[in-house]
Amino acid sequence: MDALSVVTHLKDLSSDPLNRTSIVKDKSCLAGLILFLSHQEIRVVECALKTIAYLCENPCHHEIMRNELGMMVSLDNIRNRHDIADEIRQVARNIHSSLKPPVNVYTPESNLRKTKHQFFISSSIKRAKTITLHIHGLDNVERKNILEEALLRVKGVISFTFQIAMKRCTIRVKSDLTTESLASVIAETRVLQAQQVIKNESGNEIYVPLPKTDLPVEKNSCLPDYLPEEESPQKDVEKAITCPGLKESSGGSWINTAANFLTKTFYW
């Protein structure tokens, strides 16, 4: 099975509104579609765009798709490409426009309400922050497990997700935990090194080297308990979870097939 076959079947599935929510909620399918947007073969790019356009028809999907790492940047790149047809670029423009967050309109009444409620809002309400790291050496599941174990032991880490194909790790931490501290913990693995991913003034992603800090990092004394294997809700991470509303005869099986292909191809 090649990339064009997978993205073509995903497009056919997404043409049915009953399948769209399952595709959007499947991280492998959504992230795979984003990677297809930068594929060398124009037919793959066009097919991925049409698939994403179908998924965008439901406004409830917009926030998930907008926040998926690389989505808006990839659409922006296609809009500015001159080696593809204007029709394809126009599709990318339409999707980019529909996914942009709504602009908040402030009226005197809304400003008054904000002033009234400000008494109850503490300046410490923002107690967490999100950090995106590029991890050198994160190229297989074994290294992912090493990084996972290291992060689980750091006090102040709330949650984290991986994108092995892009060697990315997105970490949500308490506001007092520094990025340099995370880099030091990752460096202690001796097989992984971290750089912070940020956007410059032009909106392009850049990697920022992180110096190793000598300050001690507070760690958890023990890891959290996990469910036994037979009670675990996810026994096989290689398989995509299909929502009950999906058509079992064709849709569900093909989403599983596509997700498995993307997982194995991009180490998701």
Side-chain angles (χ1 to χ4, degrees):
M1 181 179 293
D2 58 10
L4 184 59
S5 300
V6 172
V7 75
T8 300
H9 280 289
L10 280 175
K11 178 175 71 70
D12 293 340
L13 287 171
S14 62
S15 65
D16 185 346
L18 293 177
N19 293 333
R20 292 171 187 170
T21 299
S22 297
I23 295 173
V24 169
K25 289 185 176 180
D26 191 301
K27 299 290 288 183
S28 296
C29 289
L30 194 56
L33 284 170
I34 293 172
L35 289 176
F36 285 145
L37 293 179
S38 57
H39 200 276
Q40 293 180 348
E41 189 173 349
I42 300 300
R43 288 188 300 169
V44 174
V45 175
E46 183 178 9
C47 209
L49 277 173
K50 289 180 178 178
T51 304
I52 293 171
Y54 279 133
L55 302 178
C56 285
E57 289 183 8
N58 186 341
C60 296
H61 298 159
H62 288 185
E63 185 175 0
I64 297 175
M65 298 175 70
R66 177 172 61 244
N67 293 331
E68 186 67 25
L69 188 64
M71 174 67 80
M72 303 303 283
V73 173
S74 297
L75 291 171
D76 219 18
N77 290 338
I78 295 174
R79 291 194 308 165
N80 298 320
R81 284 179 62 175
H82 298 288
D83 59 332
I84 57 177
D86 289 339
E87 294 82 3
I88 300 176
R89 287 191 290 163
Q90 186 58 48
V91 174
R93 292 190 192 100
N94 294 340
I95 296 172
H96 191 278
S97 177
S98 67
L99 288 182
K100 284 197 300 186
V103 178
N104 292 325
V105 179
Y106 293 98
T107 62
E109 291 80 6
S110 63
N111 288 333
L112 181 61
R113 287 196 298 270
K114 183 177 178 182
T115 304
K116 286 182 178 180
H117 290 108
Q118 202 162 14
F119 175 80
F120 300 99
I121 300 176
S122 169
S123 60
S124 62
I125 190 169
K126 189 177 180 182
R127 298 175 182 175
K129 59 185 178 182
T130 301
I131 300 170
T132 301
L133 299 177
H134 179 81
I135 311 295
H136 295 279
L138 184 64
D139 48 20
N140 56 49
V141 176
E142 183 180 351
R143 295 286 178 86
K144 168 185 169 291
N145 293 337
I146 293 173
L147 178 58
E148 187 176 78
E149 185 174 347
L151 293 176
L152 282 171
R153 293 190 179 278
V154 180
K155 269 198 171 180
V157 171
I158 300 170
S159 64
F160 48 84
T161 56
F162 299 98
Q163 289 181 295
I164 300 180
M166 300 178 68
K167 298 186 179 181
R168 293 280 178 92
C169 182
T170 303
I171 311 170
R172 186 165 174 78
V173 301
K174 291 185 177 179
S175 58
D176 56 350
L177 183 62
T178 65
T179 308
E180 290 77 12
S181 297
L182 287 174
S184 296
V185 171
I186 293 170
E188 288 176 5
T189 64
R190 300 185 181 277
V191 293
L192 302 170
Q193 295 289 334
Q195 289 181 297
Q196 189 173 8
V197 181
I198 63 172
K199 287 188 176 182
N200 59 18
E201 294 179 354
S202 303
N204 298 319
E205 290 185 347
I206 59 173
Y207 297 157
V208 179
L210 296 171
K212 186 176 180 181
T213 178
D214 295 327
L215 296 175
V217 180
E218 191 175 2
K219 297 183 179 180
N220 297 311
S221 57
C222 59
L223 295 178
D225 293 331
Y226 290 94
L227 291 173
E229 185 65 21
E230 63 273 10
E231 296 179 13
S232 176
Q234 286 186 320
K235 294 184 179 180
D236 188 353
V237 296
E238 292 291 328
K239 293 182 179 178
I241 298 175
T242 306
C243 295
L246 191 66
K247 293 181 180 178
E248 293 293 337
S249 57
S250 58
S253 60
W254 260 109
I255 288 183
N256 286 340
T257 303
N260 284 333
F261 171 82
L262 294 167
T263 300
K264 292 173 183 177
T265 303
F266 304 114
Y267 295 102
W268 233 271

